[in-house]
mmCIF file with all atom_site columns, all heavy atoms in Angstrom:
data_model
loop_
_atom_site.group_PDB
_atom_site.id
_atom_site.type_symbol
_atom_site.label_atom_id
_atom_site.label_alt_id
_atom_site.label_comp_id
_atom_site.label_asym_id
_atom_site.label_entity_id
_atom_site.label_seq_id
_atom_site.pdbx_PDB_ins_code
_atom_site.Cartn_x
_atom_site.Cartn_y
_atom_site.Cartn_z
_atom_site.occupancy
_atom_site.B_iso_or_equiv
_atom_site.pdbx_formal_charge
_atom_site.auth_seq_id
_atom_site.auth_comp_id
_atom_site.auth_asym_id
_atom_site.auth_atom_id
_atom_site.pdbx_PDB_model_num
ATOM 1  N N   . GLY A 1 155 ? -36.247 31.227 -18.334 1.00 86.00 ? 1449 GLY A N   1
ATOM 2  C CA  . GLY A 1 155 ? -35.124 30.535 -18.980 1.00 86.00 ? 1449 GLY A CA  1
ATOM 3  C C   . GLY A 1 155 ? -35.231 30.553 -20.502 1.00 86.00 ? 1449 GLY A C   1
ATOM 4  O O   . GLY A 1 155 ? -36.346 30.627 -21.052 1.00 86.00 ? 1449 GLY A O   1
ATOM 5  N N   . TYR A 1 156 ? -34.082 30.452 -21.128 1.00 90.00 ? 1450 TYR A N   1
ATOM 6  C CA  . TYR A 1 156 ? -34.030 30.549 -22.642 1.00 90.00 ? 1450 TYR A CA  1
ATOM 7  C C   . TYR A 1 156 ? -34.738 29.376 -23.276 1.00 90.00 ? 1450 TYR A C   1
ATOM 8  O O   . TYR A 1 156 ? -35.496 29.557 -24.229 1.00 90.00 ? 1450 TYR A O   1
ATOM 9  C CB  . TYR A 1 156 ? -32.536 30.561 -23.026 1.00 90.00 ? 1450 TYR A CB  1
ATOM 10 C CG  . TYR A 1 156 ? -32.354 30.715 -24.530 1.00 90.00 ? 1450 TYR A CG  1
ATOM 11 C CD1 . TYR A 1 156 ? -32.698 31.897 -25.174 1.00 90.00 ? 1450 TYR A CD1 1
ATOM 12 C CD2 . TYR A 1 156 ? -31.777 29.682 -25.301 1.00 90.00 ? 1450 TYR A CD2 1
ATOM 13 C CE1 . TYR A 1 156 ? -32.527 32.073 -26.557 1.00 90.00 ? 1450 TYR A CE1 1
ATOM 14 C CE2 . TYR A 1 156 ? -31.630 29.834 -26.629 1.00 90.00 ? 1450 TYR A CE2 1
ATOM 15 C CZ  . TYR A 1 156 ? -31.982 30.993 -27.267 1.00 90.00 ? 1450 TYR A CZ  1
ATOM 16 O OH  . TYR A 1 156 ? -31.801 31.103 -28.590 1.00 90.00 ? 1450 TYR A OH  1
ATOM 17 N N   . PHE A 1 157 ? -34.593 28.167 -22.719 1.00 91.00 ? 1451 PHE A N   1
ATOM 18 C CA  . PHE A 1 157 ? -35.244 26.992 -23.334 1.00 91.00 ? 1451 PHE A CA  1
ATOM 19 C C   . PHE A 1 157 ? -36.740 27.055 -23.194 1.00 91.00 ? 1451 PHE A C   1
ATOM 20 O O   . PHE A 1 157 ? -37.496 26.765 -24.168 1.00 91.00 ? 1451 PHE A O   1
ATOM 21 C CB  . PHE A 1 157 ? -34.712 25.723 -22.692 1.00 91.00 ? 1451 PHE A CB  1
ATOM 22 C CG  . PHE A 1 157 ? -33.304 25.355 -23.106 1.00 91.00 ? 1451 PHE A CG  1
ATOM 23 C CD1 . PHE A 1 157 ? -32.559 24.428 -22.373 1.00 91.00 ? 1451 PHE A CD1 1
ATOM 24 C CD2 . PHE A 1 157 ? -32.740 25.895 -24.259 1.00 91.00 ? 1451 PHE A CD2 1
ATOM 25 C CE1 . PHE A 1 157 ? -31.287 24.095 -22.757 1.00 91.00 ? 1451 PHE A CE1 1
ATOM 26 C CE2 . PHE A 1 157 ? -31.474 25.539 -24.645 1.00 91.00 ? 1451 PHE A CE2 1
ATOM 27 C CZ  . PHE A 1 157 ? -30.736 24.638 -23.907 1.00 91.00 ? 1451 PHE A CZ  1
ATOM 28 N N   . ASN A 1 158 ? -37.221 27.444 -21.995 1.00 89.00 ? 1452 ASN A N   1
ATOM 29 C CA  . ASN A 1 158 ? -38.663 27.556 -21.837 1.00 89.00 ? 1452 ASN A CA  1
ATOM 30 C C   . ASN A 1 158 ? -39.251 28.632 -22.705 1.00 89.00 ? 1452 ASN A C   1
ATOM 31 O O   . ASN A 1 158 ? -40.456 28.517 -23.139 1.00 89.00 ? 1452 ASN A O   1
ATOM 32 C CB  . ASN A 1 158 ? -38.983 27.786 -20.346 1.00 89.00 ? 1452 ASN A CB  1
ATOM 33 C CG  . ASN A 1 158 ? -39.077 26.486 -19.570 1.00 89.00 ? 1452 ASN A CG  1
ATOM 34 O OD1 . ASN A 1 158 ? -38.925 25.391 -20.121 1.00 89.00 ? 1452 ASN A OD1 1
ATOM 35 N ND2 . ASN A 1 158 ? -39.290 26.586 -18.245 1.00 89.00 ? 1452 ASN A ND2 1
ATOM 36 N N   . SER A 1 159 ? -38.546 29.705 -22.910 1.00 90.00 ? 1453 SER A N   1
ATOM 37 C CA  . SER A 1 159 ? -39.043 30.764 -23.790 1.00 90.00 ? 1453 SER A CA  1
ATOM 38 C C   . SER A 1 159 ? -39.247 30.247 -25.175 1.00 90.00 ? 1453 SER A C   1
ATOM 39 O O   . SER A 1 159 ? -40.240 30.591 -25.860 1.00 90.00 ? 1453 SER A O   1
ATOM 40 C CB  . SER A 1 159 ? -38.057 31.962 -23.779 1.00 90.00 ? 1453 SER A CB  1
ATOM 41 O OG  . SER A 1 159 ? -37.925 32.519 -22.494 1.00 90.00 ? 1453 SER A OG  1
ATOM 42 N N   . ILE A 1 160 ? -38.280 29.456 -25.679 1.00 91.00 ? 1454 ILE A N   1
ATOM 43 C CA  . ILE A 1 160 ? -38.416 28.931 -27.033 1.00 91.00 ? 1454 ILE A CA  1
ATOM 44 C C   . ILE A 1 160 ? -39.618 27.927 -27.115 1.00 91.00 ? 1454 ILE A C   1
ATOM 45 O O   . ILE A 1 160 ? -40.363 27.959 -28.043 1.00 91.00 ? 1454 ILE A O   1
ATOM 46 C CB  . ILE A 1 160 ? -37.106 28.197 -27.412 1.00 91.00 ? 1454 ILE A CB  1
ATOM 47 C CG1 . ILE A 1 160 ? -35.957 29.201 -27.554 1.00 91.00 ? 1454 ILE A CG1 1
ATOM 48 C CG2 . ILE A 1 160 ? -37.275 27.406 -28.743 1.00 91.00 ? 1454 ILE A CG2 1
ATOM 49 C CD1 . ILE A 1 160 ? -34.616 28.560 -27.788 1.00 91.00 ? 1454 ILE A CD1 1
ATOM 50 N N   . ILE A 1 161 ? -39.703 27.091 -26.075 1.00 89.00 ? 1455 ILE A N   1
ATOM 51 C CA  . ILE A 1 161 ? -40.839 26.092 -26.073 1.00 89.00 ? 1455 ILE A CA  1
ATOM 52 C C   . ILE A 1 161 ? -42.176 26.826 -26.052 1.00 89.00 ? 1455 ILE A C   1
ATOM 53 O O   . ILE A 1 161 ? -43.099 26.441 -26.791 1.00 89.00 ? 1455 ILE A O   1
ATOM 54 C CB  . ILE A 1 161 ? -40.712 25.181 -24.813 1.00 89.00 ? 1455 ILE A CB  1
ATOM 55 C CG1 . ILE A 1 161 ? -39.467 24.295 -24.957 1.00 89.00 ? 1455 ILE A CG1 1
ATOM 56 C CG2 . ILE A 1 161 ? -41.941 24.321 -24.653 1.00 89.00 ? 1455 ILE A CG2 1
ATOM 57 C CD1 . ILE A 1 161 ? -39.122 23.517 -23.675 1.00 89.00 ? 1455 ILE A CD1 1
ATOM 58 N N   . GLN A 1 162 ? -42.305 27.870 -25.277 1.00 88.00 ? 1456 GLN A N   1
ATOM 59 C CA  . GLN A 1 162 ? -43.537 28.617 -25.184 1.00 88.00 ? 1456 GLN A CA  1
ATOM 60 C C   . GLN A 1 162 ? -43.874 29.365 -26.466 1.00 88.00 ? 1456 GLN A C   1
ATOM 61 O O   . GLN A 1 162 ? -45.056 29.562 -26.828 1.00 88.00 ? 1456 GLN A O   1
ATOM 62 C CB  . GLN A 1 162 ? -43.525 29.541 -23.971 1.00 88.00 ? 1456 GLN A CB  1
ATOM 63 C CG  . GLN A 1 162 ? -43.567 28.830 -22.618 1.00 88.00 ? 1456 GLN A CG  1
ATOM 64 C CD  . GLN A 1 162 ? -43.241 29.711 -21.489 1.00 88.00 ? 1456 GLN A CD  1
ATOM 65 O OE1 . GLN A 1 162 ? -42.944 30.904 -21.661 1.00 88.00 ? 1456 GLN A OE1 1
ATOM 66 N NE2 . GLN A 1 162 ? -43.246 29.128 -20.263 1.00 88.00 ? 1456 GLN A NE2 1
ATOM 67 N N   . GLN A 1 163 ? -42.847 29.815 -27.187 1.00 88.00 ? 1457 GLN A N   1
ATOM 68 C CA  . GLN A 1 163 ? -43.071 30.500 -28.461 1.00 88.00 ? 1457 GLN A CA  1
ATOM 69 C C   . GLN A 1 163 ? -43.682 29.566 -29.498 1.00 88.00 ? 1457 GLN A C   1
ATOM 70 O O   . GLN A 1 163 ? -44.384 30.020 -30.357 1.00 88.00 ? 1457 GLN A O   1
ATOM 71 C CB  . GLN A 1 163 ? -41.725 31.082 -28.975 1.00 88.00 ? 1457 GLN A CB  1
ATOM 72 C CG  . GLN A 1 163 ? -41.293 32.366 -28.248 1.00 88.00 ? 1457 GLN A CG  1
ATOM 73 C CD  . GLN A 1 163 ? -40.016 32.927 -28.841 1.00 88.00 ? 1457 GLN A CD  1
ATOM 74 O OE1 . GLN A 1 163 ? -39.435 32.355 -29.708 1.00 88.00 ? 1457 GLN A OE1 1
ATOM 75 N NE2 . GLN A 1 163 ? -39.568 34.040 -28.272 1.00 88.00 ? 1457 GLN A NE2 1
ATOM 76 N N   . PHE A 1 164 ? -43.388 28.276 -29.359 1.00 88.00 ? 1458 PHE A N   1
ATOM 77 C CA  . PHE A 1 164 ? -43.950 27.319 -30.289 1.00 88.00 ? 1458 PHE A CA  1
ATOM 78 C C   . PHE A 1 164 ? -45.215 26.699 -29.757 1.00 88.00 ? 1458 PHE A C   1
ATOM 79 O O   . PHE A 1 164 ? -45.695 25.664 -30.264 1.00 88.00 ? 1458 PHE A O   1
ATOM 80 C CB  . PHE A 1 164 ? -42.910 26.202 -30.604 1.00 88.00 ? 1458 PHE A CB  1
ATOM 81 C CG  . PHE A 1 164 ? -41.839 26.672 -31.548 1.00 88.00 ? 1458 PHE A CG  1
ATOM 82 C CD1 . PHE A 1 164 ? -40.635 27.179 -31.032 1.00 88.00 ? 1458 PHE A CD1 1
ATOM 83 C CD2 . PHE A 1 164 ? -41.999 26.608 -32.915 1.00 88.00 ? 1458 PHE A CD2 1
ATOM 84 C CE1 . PHE A 1 164 ? -39.605 27.585 -31.907 1.00 88.00 ? 1458 PHE A CE1 1
ATOM 85 C CE2 . PHE A 1 164 ? -40.979 27.035 -33.784 1.00 88.00 ? 1458 PHE A CE2 1
ATOM 86 C CZ  . PHE A 1 164 ? -39.792 27.509 -33.253 1.00 88.00 ? 1458 PHE A CZ  1
#
Side-chain angles (χ1 to χ4, degrees):
Y1450 183 66
F1451 286 163
N1452 275 358
S1453 299
I1454 294 175
I1455 293 171
Q1456 289 167 0
Q1457 283 181 0
F1458 285 94

